Structures are given as structure tokens and as C-alpha cells.
Amino acid sequence: MVIGDDIKKMFASFAPETHKAMDRYTSFRVGGPADLLVLPQNIEQVICLVKTAKKIELPITIIGGGTNVLISDKGIRGLVMVLTRLKQGIEQTTPLINTGGDSPDRIYLTALAGESLGHICRFAADSGLAGLAWAAGIPGTIGGAVMMNAGAFGSDMSQIVTQIEVLDLTTLETVVLPRNSLHFSYRKLALENSIVLKVKLGLTRADAETVKDEFYRNLKTKQSTQPVSQASAGCFFKNPPGSKSAGFLIEQAGMKKARCNGAMVSDLHANFIVNHGNACAKDILDLAGQVKKSVYEKFGINLKEEVKTIGN
Ligand SMILES: Cc1cc2nc3c(=O)[nH]c(=O)nc-3n(C[C@H](O)[C@H](O)[C@H](O)COP(=O)(O)OP(=O)(O)OC[C@H]3O[C@@H](n4cnc5c(N)ncnc54)[C@H](O)[C@@H]3O)c2cc1C
């Protein structure tokens, strides 16, 4: 889509970039151009951008840290909002007295959707707050983590989210959704047509050393079992039901180290596809297709993608 001067003018106050390559906004380091790219810095800007795009029927795509997405080589049409600048620190609150049910050890952390999950996780570890140490080393934003119901070491976001604030893209209203109205499942929050703006987490005051130990132990495990320094989007496939992980099945199907041009199945963790520097999205998708085929032929199991493919 060609973005004309009239449209550029409408978005001028948000310093938009046109035809902007998206590779630097994803951990896979691939992705074609966004027609119109904007990085809003506060909730008011997000709302204003959405209203402007809706007025002229521009499609809207939301990217957080870009650590669980594969953006197509042809890029993304319409307005792309990268939310990594939508942050204003972490607010820590205690329960109101006499509200009933809340433990006195309960502490709430609230952050805008663009705050990095790593920052919140480290803040919790440094403050002696238990409940988030499992997230040590998971990249991306808190908004993306909620949408993906990110998880590790047997825990996930669904266990600590107490409420989120969203912008409903149909009504253009902001709505606060309490935990009991949110439907989380494995690596998924069922939330259509909305932008997560703010997240409130419920953690527990605990022994500071114990929390820190758990945080560093998890970080070390992650660093030694996953190719964290290479370009990837984390686990490419969801673990299928049953006791065998996707990584085990891929390895047993002989696909460890399989390549398609610059894309390769990691030799450290077979459920990671890594970009050796010159892969394009098609290489990664072709390799993922070969992996799925091999696993299906050997085990009759149809792996489902965890990574979200976005764009044309
Ligand atoms: C090295 C590495 C290790 C990883 N390890 C783990 C792990 O242990 N466990 C795990 O679960 N994941 C892991 N991941 C995957 C990824 O980091 C998580 O899923 C992360 O929570 C995604 O956050 P993000 O901000 O990058 O989301 P993005 O990748 O930007 O977006 C993911 C999806 O959420 C949507 N989205 C993002 N923000 C918003 C918002 N504010 N409102 C509405 N929709 C939004 C996007 O449109 C997209 O569909 C890993 C990734 C890497 C690269």
C-alpha cells in the first residue's frame, strides 16, 4: 500500500516512518516493510492512533517486543504500532485494608504494556517478591507476555495476572478486565480485537534471597539449554498433548541442525529455529514445514506453531 502525503500528514505528530523494514523490531531479525510504523509512548497516543487509522480504514497491527513473531518478507500493510516505548515504570501497591480475602503479603505490580517482562521480573527478584522468577530470561513486553500467556518451569502468566486494561478496537473504549473474565490457555489469551494497555500482577512478599536464588537458577538453566544469544523467536512449536515435548519429537525425527539457507534447527534445542544472519521469513517457514512433515511422518503428530506469523 502506498502511503500518500495526505495520510502521512494525519499521523505527522507521531513521527511515523513509511515503508520501514521490520527486521530490527523482531528477535528473528527478519521481516519486510511496514507501510506506516509508529512507536507510541503513552496510552493517549495509542488511542489517538487507533481512532485516526479507523477513520480511514487502515488495518492495525500490534507488535510488542517482537520476540514471538515471524513477520513475512512482504511486510505488513497499514499501520503498525510497536509498543516497546509504551512504558512509565513499575508501580508497586499493597492491598487496601479490610477488602477481605487478600493476604497481607500480597503485593501488586502495575505496568504499561510496553514494559519489558525482564525488567519486571528482575524488579520482583530484587524486591523479594515471589511469583515471577519462572520468567527469568524470557524476552519481550509484559503486554506480549499476557497475550501469549508466556510460561516456563511449570508456571505462566495466567497464575499472576490480576487484571488488564485494554482498548477495545470495535467500541474504541478502554475497559478494565479482571482476572475472572480472562480466558487463558496454553500460550494463549482468548482476547480478540483489543490492545492490552496496562497489566496488574499479583505477587507475594517472600524471603529476598530465596526469590533471587530461584531467579538466577532459572536464568542459568535457560542460558544453558536454549540458544538465547542467537536470533530466534523462542520455541517455534507448541508442545503437543502428552509427555513428549516438541523439541524431543523434532530431535527424534532427525531434524536437529536441519537447514534451509540461513535458517537452521538449533543444535542446542531442537524446538528453536535460528536465523544465522541471512535467513528470510520464507526460509524459516520452509524449514518449519519440513520439521512438521518429518515429525508427522515419524510420529503421526501434527505440531502447531507457537510463533505467530504476521503480514502478507
Ligand atoms: C530466546 C527466547 C526465549 C524465549 N523463551 C520463552 C519462554 O521460556 N516461554 C515463553 O512462553 N515464551 C518464550 N519466548 C517467546 C516470547 O519471548 C514470549 O512469547 C513473549 O512473552 C512475547 O512478548 P512480545 O512482547 O515479544 O510479543 P510479540 O512477539 O511482539 O507479540 C506476540 C503476539 O502478541 C500480540 N501483542 C503483543 N503485544 C500486544 C498488546 N499490548 N496488545 C495486544 N496484542 C499484543 C502480537 O500481535 C502477537 O500476536 C522466547 C523467545 C525468545 C526469543
Side-chain angles (χ1 to χ4, degrees):
M1 182 190 291
V2 179
I3 299 290
D5 285 343
D6 47 342
I7 296 182
K8 274 192 223 167
K9 228 186 217 168
M10 294 174 80
F11 290 90
S13 59
F14 303 103
E17 297 199 72
T18 50
H19 206 68
K20 180 75 179 173
M22 288 300 295
D23 53 353
R24 60 171 287 211
Y25 297 98
T26 74
S27 55
F28 246 142
R29 298 281 172 255
V30 302
D35 284 341
L36 194 66
L37 172 71
V38 178
L39 282 79
Q41 297 183 17
N42 55 50
I43 289 180
E44 292 68 35
Q45 287 187 355
V46 173
I47 295 171
C48 189
L49 279 160
V50 166
K51 286 186 175 166
T52 310
K54 286 262 169 189
K55 223 179 273 171
I56 52 171
E57 294 180 4
L58 265 193
I60 300 167
T61 301
I62 302 299
I63 305 286
T67 66
N68 206 57
V69 293
L70 175 59
I71 295 179
S72 74
D73 296 318
K74 288 191 175 153
I76 310 174
R77 305 293 69 87
L79 173 67
V80 178
M81 275 193 253
V82 171
L83 298 187
T84 46
R85 292 190 191 156
L86 180 63
K87 53 186 170 186
Q88 59 179 24
I90 302 166
E91 186 195 359
Q92 182 173 328
T93 49
T94 47
L96 296 172
I97 302 163
N98 292 334
T99 49
D102 256 338
S103 144
D105 290 333
R106 200 101 173 112
I107 299 284
Y108 297 105
L109 298 184
T110 305
L112 295 188
E115 191 63 66
S116 106
L117 175 63
H119 183 202
I120 300 174
C121 187
R122 201 168 272 274
F123 178 91
D126 289 342
S127 313
L129 300 177
L132 191 54
W134 55 267
I138 301 182
T141 63
I142 187 69
V146 170
M147 286 304 290
M148 293 307 304
N149 190 17
F153 303 105
S155 299
D156 60 30
M157 291 304 296
S158 73
Q159 296 162 9
I160 52 168
V161 170
T162 62
Q163 70 175 40
I164 60 176
E165 183 176 326
V166 304
L167 174 63
D168 183 320
L169 294 176
T170 309
T171 61
L172 301 184
E173 299 284 334
T174 57
V175 193
V176 173
L177 301 173
R179 170 65 184 90
N180 60 12
S181 69
L182 300 175
H183 301 289
F184 285 104
S185 55
Y186 175 53
R187 298 296 171 267
K188 185 176 173 181
L189 169 62
L191 181 72
E192 301 292 323
N193 214 23
S194 300
I195 301 176
V196 178
L197 299 172
K198 201 187 262 189
V199 178
K200 185 173 180 183
L201 306 176
L203 303 179
T204 312
R205 222 189 300 268
D207 175 62
E209 284 314 305
T210 311
V211 179
K212 252 192 211 161
D213 283 354
E214 189 188 352
F215 172 87
Y216 284 110
R217 199 169 51 244
N218 290 343
L219 192 61
K220 218 169 147 193
T221 303
K222 200 165 175 65
Q223 287 168 344
S224 60
T225 57
Q226 298 181 357
V228 292
S229 59
Q230 289 178 286
S232 81
C235 287
F236 201 90
F237 298 102
K238 294 182 179 183
N239 287 322
S243 59
K244 291 181 180 128
S245 70
F248 174 84
L249 296 170
I250 296 166
E251 191 170 345
Q252 292 301 306
M255 291 304 283
K256 215 172 191 181
K257 295 194 207 174
R259 293 188 82 121
C260 180
N261 300 319
M264 184 181 132
V265 176
S266 165
D267 53 357
L268 186 59
H269 190 312
N271 197 12
F272 277 60
I273 292 181
V274 295
N275 173 9
H276 274 289
N278 58 355
C280 60
K282 184 178 182 304
D283 297 333
I284 293 167
L285 286 171
D286 285 351
L287 183 56
Q290 289 170 32
V291 166
K292 280 180 86 161
K293 187 166 177 281
S294 303
V295 168
Y296 187 76
E297 281 170 2
K298 182 146 175 108
F299 297 104
I301 292 174
N302 204 351
L303 291 177
K304 302 258 187 297
E305 289 77 2
E306 179 177 323
V307 169
K308 305 265 182 206
T309 299
I310 292 183
N312 289 57

